[in-house]
Amino acid sequence: FGYSTFSAIPYAGALSIMLRVCAAALVFIKLVLDRHYSPGLLMCLIVVGMVLLVAYVKSGYSHVFYLLIICLGMRNVDKETIISLDFWIRIVICLFIVSCGLTGIIENYITYRTNSNVLRYSIGFNHPNTVASLVLSLILEEAWINKRHTTGFYVIVVWTLAAITYLITANRTAVLIMVVFPVALLFAKDRTVENSEKQYGGSVFAAIFPVTAVFSYAAMMLCRSSSFFRIIDIALSNRFYNAHVIFNSYGVPLLGQQVALVSVKAARLTNSSIVLLDVAYLRLLIQAGPIVLILLAILYGSVMNQAWKKGNQLLNLILCVFIIFGVCESGFNNVFMNFTLLLAAKELFNSEERAEGVALCSEM
């Protein structure tokens, strides 16, 4: 609902705060009811919880709050069940928002690409790019849930969704990923990983997230002085230059800071300049701080390393797609847009659960 124009109705902000308080209370109750913690896990939860809580309080960045909730709440939670539930709830809510947008109950925000007359429709969401990003995230989530493989029918379905999404939103990045994804599935067949590959391949694969984050930082700093990064920046609608302007104004905090952002919609309504942080890694760095970015890099590195060692090529592909998506959209940081954040948060507890499983097998 926060991604829709429902967010503009009276008291929407107060309702959002109430829901966050309820979520925090439920997770706190779960932490108390879980009771038994190893000293190491307890210390880990305290450190992670305090880092994310302080970053959220100082920045007001809601995605950090959602990350806090899932990091503290995923212990002893079945990831398949919760992600399947998430998928169907999001389908229902998205259809409800679209129906409200098309019937005029809420605003169907219509905009155009800069230097173009092509109209772009949000069909009830706050921006056309949000619609495309949600469609992409639902396609990837469904593929993980149902362990998709490439078939002719699946390709036709995904490409049809991509075509419809493009006609409505004129989005390029998410639609291009939708077109490529079912083809890439041809190479995402599970396989047995040799011991040498487990050791070295997993480490290399786990490095993709930090390498992408470093690349984003370099592109921000060099987007006007390097021809290579300038071309990339222009192709991505000046995302890195926009981030560089904010970086020059605010710098990088150790742990969270308030950043006044101005969306394209707000800028056009008020005839002011846009202030955007659309690159996920740069938004975390500037708004939440490097400690939060490093924490997420560690969690993603862990889940990517495990996916490689298990030969889970489908998950490997989906994780890589989301990391690429993060270069173009800050929605990567939001668990409501990126379900793999649940898998990353689960890594805080996987070693404990694996140890419990080994102990149980030994007793049997």
Side-chain angles (χ1 to χ4, degrees), residues 28-63:
F28 178 76
I29 292 170
K30 181 182 181 299
L31 289 170
V32 173
L33 294 178
D34 279 352
R35 293 186 181 180
H36 302 293
Y37 300 89
S38 66
L41 178 60
L42 183 60
M43 182 58 64
C44 176
L45 290 179
I46 291 173
V47 172
V48 169
M50 290 303 299
V51 165
L52 293 176
L53 180 60
V54 171
Y56 169 65
V57 170
K58 292 183 67 177
S59 68
Y61 185 18
S62 60
H63 297 178

Side-chain angles (χ1 to χ4, degrees), residues 51-169:
V51 165
L52 293 176
L53 180 60
V54 171
Y56 169 65
V57 170
K58 292 183 67 177
S59 68
Y61 185 18
S62 60
H63 297 178
V64 176
F65 175 79
Y66 306 146
L67 185 60
L68 168 65
I69 290 296
I70 62 174
C71 281
L72 297 183
M74 281 298 288
R75 188 186 188 213
N76 297 325
V77 171
D78 184 86
K79 58 190 178 185
E80 283 80 9
T81 300
I82 200 69
I83 291 174
S84 295
L85 181 64
D86 168 73
F87 174 78
W88 287 110
I89 289 176
R90 284 206 292 152
I91 287 285
V92 171
I93 294 177
C94 284
L95 290 175
F96 175 73
I97 290 170
V98 170
S99 64
C100 290
L102 294 178
T103 55
I105 296 175
I106 58 176
E107 180 188 5
N108 175 14
Y109 172 58
I110 302 173
T111 186
Y112 54 89
R113 191 184 307 282
T114 303
N115 301 322
S116 171
N117 294 322
V118 176
L119 294 179
R120 310 177 66 197
Y121 301 88
S122 72
I123 54 176
F125 290 91
N126 57 16
H127 195 278
N129 287 348
T130 303
V131 180
S133 298
L134 279 168
V135 174
L136 172 63
S137 71
L138 288 169
I139 288 172
L140 296 175
E141 192 170 22
E142 190 276 338
W144 183 85
I145 292 169
N146 293 304
K147 307 296 185 288
R148 287 291 180 189
H149 298 285
T150 299
T151 63
F153 178 73
Y154 183 70
V155 171
I156 292 172
V157 169
V158 174
W159 283 3
T160 301
L161 287 173
I164 294 171
T165 302
Y166 184 77
L167 289 174
I168 294 171
T169 68

Side-chain angles (χ1 to χ4, degrees), residues 34 47 74 98 108 110 113 122 141 143-144 180-181 189 196 200 216 218 236-237 242 259 313 321 350 361:
D34 279 352
V47 172
M74 281 298 288
V98 170
N108 175 14
I110 302 173
R113 191 184 307 282
S122 72
E141 192 170 22
W144 183 85
V180 172
F181 176 70
K189 297 179 180 179
S196 58
Y200 299 108
S216 298
L236 294 178
S237 304
N242 292 335
V259 176
Q313 298 289 68
V321 168
N350 274 350
C361 290

Side-chain angles (χ1 to χ4, degrees), residues 78-315:
D78 184 86
K79 58 190 178 185
E80 283 80 9
T81 300
I82 200 69
I83 291 174
S84 295
L85 181 64
D86 168 73
F87 174 78
W88 287 110
I89 289 176
R90 284 206 292 152
I91 287 285
V92 171
I93 294 177
C94 284
L95 290 175
F96 175 73
I97 290 170
V98 170
S99 64
C100 290
L102 294 178
T103 55
I105 296 175
I106 58 176
E107 180 188 5
N108 175 14
Y109 172 58
I110 302 173
T111 186
Y112 54 89
R113 191 184 307 282
T114 303
N115 301 322
S116 171
N117 294 322
V118 176
L119 294 179
R120 310 177 66 197
Y121 301 88
S122 72
I123 54 176
F125 290 91
N126 57 16
H127 195 278
N129 287 348
T130 303
V131 180
S133 298
L134 279 168
V135 174
L136 172 63
S137 71
L138 288 169
I139 288 172
L140 296 175
E141 192 170 22
E142 190 276 338
W144 183 85
I145 292 169
N146 293 304
K147 307 296 185 288
R148 287 291 180 189
H149 298 285
T150 299
T151 63
F153 178 73
Y154 183 70
V155 171
I156 292 172
V157 169
V158 174
W159 283 3
T160 301
L161 287 173
I164 294 171
T165 302
Y166 184 77
L167 289 174
I168 294 171
T169 68
N171 177 278
R172 294 174 298 189
T173 305
V175 169
L176 178 61
I177 294 174
M178 289 181 219
V179 172
V180 172
F181 176 70
V183 178
L185 278 178
L186 287 170
F187 308 96
K189 297 179 180 179
D190 290 351
R191 64 189 183 87
T192 302
V193 180
E194 301 296 332
N195 288 333
S196 58
E197 288 183 300
K198 286 182 181 180
Q199 182 178 355
Y200 299 108
S203 300
V204 171
F205 193 62
I208 293 176
F209 184 105
V211 167
T212 306
V214 170
F215 171 85
S216 298
Y217 181 80
M220 176 183 69
M221 300 303 293
L222 302 173
C223 63
R224 286 297 181 266
S225 60
S226 165
S227 299
F228 172 71
F229 286 115
R230 187 181 180 86
I231 292 171
I232 293 175
D233 189 42
I234 293 172
L236 294 178
S237 304
N238 297 312
R239 279 169 164 78
F240 295 111
Y241 177 73
N242 292 335
H244 190 258
V245 171
I246 299 172
F247 174 81
N248 286 338
S249 299
Y250 290 91
V252 174
L254 181 63
L255 204 60
Q257 67 177 339
Q258 293 279 347
V259 176
L261 300 177
V262 180
S263 68
V264 174
K265 179 181 179 181
R268 287 174 177 170
L269 287 174
T270 59
N271 197 28
S272 57
S273 300
I274 61 171
V275 184
L276 295 176
L277 278 172
D278 282 335
V279 182
Y281 315 105
L282 299 179
R283 184 162 187 183
L284 276 179
L285 180 68
I286 295 171
Q287 197 165 359
I291 296 177
V292 174
L293 180 60
I294 292 169
L295 170 63
L296 196 56
I298 292 171
L299 294 178
Y300 257 93
S302 180
V303 72
M304 296 179 82
N305 188 28
Q306 289 301 317
W308 177 271
K309 288 181 177 180
K310 294 175 181 177
N312 189 341
Q313 298 289 68
L314 174 60
L315 181 54

